[in-house]
Amino acid sequence: MPFMKGAAPIRRTLKYLEQGKLVFKDNVRIVTFNYNNNHTPSTGAEDFVFWHFAQMQYKNPEVQMCVFKDMTPSPFLQVFFNGGSKLVLDIDSQNKDSIFNAVKKIFCKSEETLEAEALAKEKKSNPANFGYMCTHECICEIPGQVPCTQWVVPPKEQRGKFKFLKKDVEED
Amino acid sequence: MLCPLRNLIKSSVAHKVLLESSIKQPPLVNSVRFRKPRWLPIAKSKEFYVRKPTPVIPEEAEELYLRYSKYRADVESIRLFLKEQLSQKSVNIMEKQEKDDAADLKLMEEQVKEYNNQVAALRQERQNQEVIAEQKRIEEVMQKQQEERLKRTLQAEKKLEKNKAASFIQPEDLDQAIEIMLDSRSDYNYAITNSGDVILGEYPDQPLDKAPPRTKMSDIS
């Protein structure tokens, strides 16, 4: 790992970030974590934030995520939605995995939705398109089309000089 | 396979536009392969080109005009109708989205409530235990303080008892003590030297036999 900085630098690797499974629903806008330092009931919340915060932010770049420490007696997480409504999830004395499962079940897109979205994304990149950032740069590359005029001279009938301007083309 | 078109595209302005726009979904833009610079004169072959005017048959033109007007009116009306339908559709989609969101939110609320209830039981239990522990701690501290106070009072009483016999005035001797005090007079106008000698004041009333014996410096050594 290059630049192994900080505690558990694996959390900063691209591979780890891309393996994040928490993709929030579209109407989730802000997620807030509240927990305490050196507080036994907050250890689960602390671990969850330590291991999964980066992944969540990577997978949800449009969601604002905040962490507040030592502000309330017990740990919880708040989720704010599109219309301004919010929900509070109590995570007092909960295990990191239990919190993960709860968040995934309640606030995140399901596996089926994610799969459907991935499929739709694939379809959008239409292989029939040609041009910049497509599979073919020019229509001449597609089999069954007129070959590239750099390499093959087209017949007189297809050349504009003959067809529109009625000029007799001398063979060069 | 090298394509000359590709090379030209890379140098055109459109390519720069494409680069700057989002890479995720690039728009498909046809770039112009060649445009003659405006400062170049018209080519010799095209200098005196005069186009033949389009042949117009008046009756046909009139008929076409009427037919086209009607056709365009029909097409425009259909277009406007479809446009209105589309806007209505988008409003419907928005409403549906809102309804879906509300339903989704309700479901999430229920799930959150259920989870919170489970956790709340544990949390309440923990907090109750904490309260009890705190109460216990306070009680212990109070107990300790009380014991300490008691010990101190006993010690003080013991000391009192020791001194009582020596110098305290008993109730029976009260009258005599008062007589003594009224008859006696103390003079505080005296100084004590470094060596411990007492130097009396200007008008000493009585010798200082009431003063406690002082250790003279000359006695030490």
Side-chain angles (χ1 to χ4, degrees):
Chain A
M1 266 185 292
F3 300 112
M4 280 173 65
K5 293 184 188 163
I10 192 165
R11 296 174 298 150
R12 296 170 71 233
T13 56
L14 203 65
K15 201 170 173 185
Y16 181 84
L17 291 174
E18 293 196 334
Q19 278 172 9
K21 293 190 188 54
L22 296 171
V23 182
F24 288 115
K25 292 181 181 167
D26 289 329
N27 53 355
V28 168
R29 303 299 283 266
I30 309 171
V31 179
T32 306
F33 301 90
N34 265 290
Y35 64 87
N36 301 328
N37 211 8
N38 291 332
H39 187 228
T40 321
S42 300
T43 45
E46 199 176 330
D47 290 337
F48 176 73
V49 167
F50 182 81
W51 287 111
H52 297 293
F53 184 92
Q55 283 180 332
M56 282 194 280
Q57 187 73 95
Y58 182 77
K59 287 284 175 175
N60 306 281
E62 303 293 320
V63 170
Q64 180 180 8
M65 298 180 45
C66 313
V67 171
F68 298 111
K69 287 195 195 174
D70 299 327
M71 292 186 91
T72 55
S74 73
F76 61 92
L77 64 89
Q78 269 187 324
V79 181
F80 296 82
F81 298 98
N82 248 335
S85 52
K86 67 177 182 192
L87 286 175
V88 177
L89 192 76
D90 196 351
I91 47 179
D92 187 301
S93 314
Q94 293 298 300
N95 200 4
K96 145 175 93 100
D97 301 317
S98 151
I99 300 169
F100 180 90
N101 290 332
V103 169
K104 185 146 188 251
K105 184 178 136 201
I106 301 171
F107 300 114
C108 295
K109 289 184 184 161
S110 59
E111 295 282 354
E112 303 98 51
T113 326
L114 286 171
E115 274 174 27
E117 278 185 0
L119 202 71
K121 204 172 166 187
E122 259 179 50
K123 279 193 177 166
K124 264 191 175 175
S125 57
N126 195 345
N129 287 340
F130 58 91
Y132 178 67
M133 295 287 274
C134 301
T135 36
H136 303 281
E137 286 271 348
C138 182
I139 195 165
C140 67
E141 290 178 43
I142 296 166
Q145 297 298 325
V146 166
C148 191
T149 43
Q150 192 189 22
W151 302 98
V152 169
V153 178
K156 277 192 221 165
E157 295 81 34
Q158 290 177 15
R159 296 184 67 178
K161 256 184 175 171
F162 180 81
K163 199 170 161 192
F164 301 109
L165 296 179
K166 306 280 190 297
K167 284 193 175 161
D168 257 308
V169 180
E170 287 95 36
E171 299 296 333
D172 289 320
Chain B
M1 172 150 70
L2 282 169
C3 197
L5 204 64
R6 198 194 313 168
N7 295 331
L8 279 166
I9 286 170
K10 281 195 172 129
S11 56
S12 74
V13 172
H15 185 72
K16 293 199 182 79
V17 167
L18 286 169
L19 270 175
E20 277 150 41
S21 63
S22 150
I23 297 293
K24 275 189 194 163
Q25 282 295 340
L28 280 171
V29 170
N30 290 332
S31 38
V32 175
R33 193 160 164 260
F34 175 73
R35 176 74 177 88
K36 188 191 184 90
R38 49 176 47 198
W39 43 268
L40 274 179
I42 303 171
K44 277 208 324 225
S45 63
K46 295 178 185 155
E47 212 178 338
F48 301 110
Y49 170 71
V50 174
R51 60 170 269 266
K52 287 203 194 82
T54 358
V56 176
I57 305 164
E59 294 86 10
E60 192 188 321
E62 202 182 318
E63 184 64 30
L64 269 176
Y65 174 77
L66 293 169
R67 286 191 191 210
Y68 263 128
S69 322
K70 186 170 182 305
Y71 169 75
R72 281 173 196 147
D74 292 339
V75 165
E76 184 70 15
S77 64
I78 294 168
R79 193 182 73 83
L80 288 173
F81 173 73
L82 290 173
K83 186 174 169 187
E84 204 185 298
Q85 241 188 9
L86 185 69
S87 63
Q88 188 62 37
K89 190 176 168 188
S90 68
V91 163
N92 286 347
I93 285 170
M94 285 257 289
E95 281 177 357
K96 185 168 179 291
Q97 183 76 13
E98 278 174 21
K99 222 184 342 182
D100 281 347
D101 274 348
D104 200 18
L105 217 77
K106 205 157 172 224
L107 179 71
M108 280 199 271
E109 208 175 316
E110 284 171 20
Q111 289 176 323
V112 160
K113 226 179 241 177
E114 194 189 313
Y115 186 81
N116 279 351
N117 285 339
Q118 287 173 7
V119 176
L122 292 166
R123 181 169 45 83
Q124 205 58 43
E125 185 62 42
R126 174 182 71 86
Q127 283 176 335
N128 290 345
Q129 293 294 327
E130 272 181 11
V131 164
I132 290 166
E134 183 67 14
Q135 290 269 28
K136 209 171 164 186
R137 188 188 71 88
I138 288 169
E139 260 178 46
E140 277 180 12
V141 165
M142 299 285 266
Q143 181 82 358
K144 226 176 175 180
Q145 280 179 353
Q146 208 175 13
E147 280 175 12
E148 191 73 17
R149 232 177 282 139
L150 195 71
K151 205 166 89 179
R152 278 210 300 270
T153 45
L154 286 173
Q155 271 178 352
E157 271 185 13
K158 227 193 290 181
K159 206 170 180 184
L160 202 71
E161 284 295 329
K162 210 170 22 170
N163 287 334
K164 206 175 181 177
S167 56
F168 285 11
I169 300 166
Q170 301 304 325
E172 305 88 48
D173 304 330
L174 188 64
D175 295 324
Q176 196 187 10
I178 290 169
E179 287 289 331
I180 293 169
M181 271 205 286
L182 288 172
D183 288 337
S184 72
R185 251 186 295 186
S186 320
D187 179 34
Y188 301 107
N189 197 17
Y190 65 87
I192 303 175
T193 57
N194 279 354
S195 50
D197 301 326
V198 175
I199 305 169
L200 294 170
E202 208 174 334
Y203 307 108
D205 263 343
Q206 65 183 79
L208 281 172
D209 53 353
K210 283 266 188 322
R214 309 233 182 251
T215 320
K216 292 189 186 166
M217 289 304 286
S218 48
D219 288 344
I220 303 167
S221 72

